Amino acid sequence: MGQDLNAPIIHLTDPIAGAGLSGHPLCRMATWPPGASCTDVAFTPLEAERLGRMKSPRRKAEMEGSFVLRRRLIAAMAGGAPEEARMSSAEGGAPVLVQPSGWAMSLANKDACTVVALAAAPAQIGVDIEIVREMDWRPALSMMSSDAERAQFESAPGAPASKLRAFYRMWTLKEAVLKSTGRGLRAGPKAVEIPWALLLSPGAGMLRAFGGPFDFWTADTSDAVVSLVQKRG
C-alpha cells in the first residue's frame, strides 16, 4: 500500500516557536518516516519529471517523501485536505501555492526533513534548513561571502570547529533571503551580508539586503539549523 496522505506525521513541529521565538510566519517541519512508501501518491508532472532525473535511490525516496510532507504541512497550517494542495513554479523556479489560495509560500527539504512556511499573500518570505555535519566551512565561506564578511567571520574569536553552527546560520539565512526574492541563488549570496553578531546564537532580529529590511528567525534543532525571513513592508 502507498503512504496515506492523511497518516500521522512523525516529529511535526514549529521549529521557530520551539526555539522560544514568536511573531514569525506560519512554519512547520516534519521528518519522512524511514522506509515509508508513497507509491500510490499522484505526483504532478513537474514532480514526476524531477524524480525521474534523480540517480540515487535514497535521495529519490527522500524527495518523494518531501512531496508528500509538504502537502500535509500546508494542510496543517492553511486547512483543507493534503491531497487538495496544489503547487506550481514561478518563472524563476520558485514554488507557488495555487490551492489553497491567498498564501505566499517557501519550502525547503534536506535529507528526510521538510519545512514549509506560509504568510498571507503578497508577503515575501523564505525558509531554509541544513543538517549540521562536521565540515571545513572555509571553502564554502569564500564562495558565498563578501571579502569583508569573510574576514569578519574568520577573525572572530573561536576555533573553526566552534564556528560550525554559526556558519550554518549564515548559510541558511542567506538561502532564506535569496528564496524570498523569488530568484534563489541567482540573486547572489554575496549580496546578502550577515553581521557576525547575528550568528552567535539562535534568535530573531532584523537584517538588511537588496536595499530593504528583513525580519529573521533562526532556530537550532538537535541536528539541524532552520532560518526563516520575511521582508518588511
Side-chain angles (χ1 to χ4, degrees):
M1 294 294 292
Q3 180 71 16
D4 181 1
L5 283 173
N6 295 297
I9 306 171
I10 64 171
H11 305 314
L12 171 61
T13 61
D14 178 339
I16 307 301
L21 306 175
S22 60
H24 56 285
L26 296 172
C27 184
R28 295 291 186 276
M29 181 175 73
T31 303
W32 184 245
S37 170
C38 52
T39 54
D40 291 349
V41 175
F43 295 116
T44 68
L46 286 175
E47 290 169 343
E49 190 272 335
R50 184 175 178 183
L51 291 170
R53 296 198 309 267
M54 305 187 79
K55 305 300 183 184
S56 165
R58 179 184 65 84
R59 286 294 300 123
K60 183 176 181 180
E62 290 171 348
M63 185 57 65
E64 288 176 338
S66 179
F67 288 154
V68 174
L69 283 182
R70 59 190 63 178
R71 291 174 168 86
R72 288 158 61 179
L73 296 176
I74 289 167
M77 292 184 283
E83 59 269 21
E84 294 172 349
R86 291 192 296 111
M87 288 156 279
S88 65
S89 296
E91 184 176 345
V96 175
L97 184 57
V98 177
Q99 183 64 35
S101 61
W103 297 97
M105 178 182 69
S106 183
L107 58 86
N109 69 279
K110 190 68 175 181
D111 296 348
C113 296
T114 295
V115 59
V116 177
L118 297 177
Q124 290 181 253
I125 61 173
V127 70
D128 194 53
I129 181 172
E130 287 293 336
I131 305 300
V132 177
R133 297 184 174 92
E134 294 297 326
M135 63 176 292
D136 182 358
W137 44 258
R138 286 166 290 196
L141 186 67
S142 297
M143 293 186 291
M144 65 190 292
S145 300
S146 68
D147 291 342
E149 187 181 21
R150 184 174 70 254
Q152 184 183 51
F153 194 104
E154 291 179 335
S155 64
S162 70
K163 296 180 180 179
L164 189 64
R165 286 267 177 176
F167 171 77
Y168 278 108
R169 288 187 195 104
M170 172 185 281
W171 183 344
T172 55
L173 275 170
K174 284 176 177 277
E175 287 264 16
V177 172
L178 294 171
K179 286 181 177 182
S180 75
T181 70
R183 298 176 59 201
L185 287 173
R186 291 176 300 168
K190 293 184 179 182
V192 184
E193 295 199 7
I194 312 294
W196 169 253
L198 301 184
L199 304 174
L200 296 175
S201 63
M206 189 271 287
L207 60 85
R208 299 190 66 86
F210 302 111
F214 288 78
D215 293 309
F216 74 85
W217 302 261
T218 61
D220 286 356
T221 70
S222 60
D223 61 352
V225 171
V226 177
S227 290
L228 174 63
V229 304
Q230 180 169 8
K231 187 174 184 180
R232 291 188 182 179

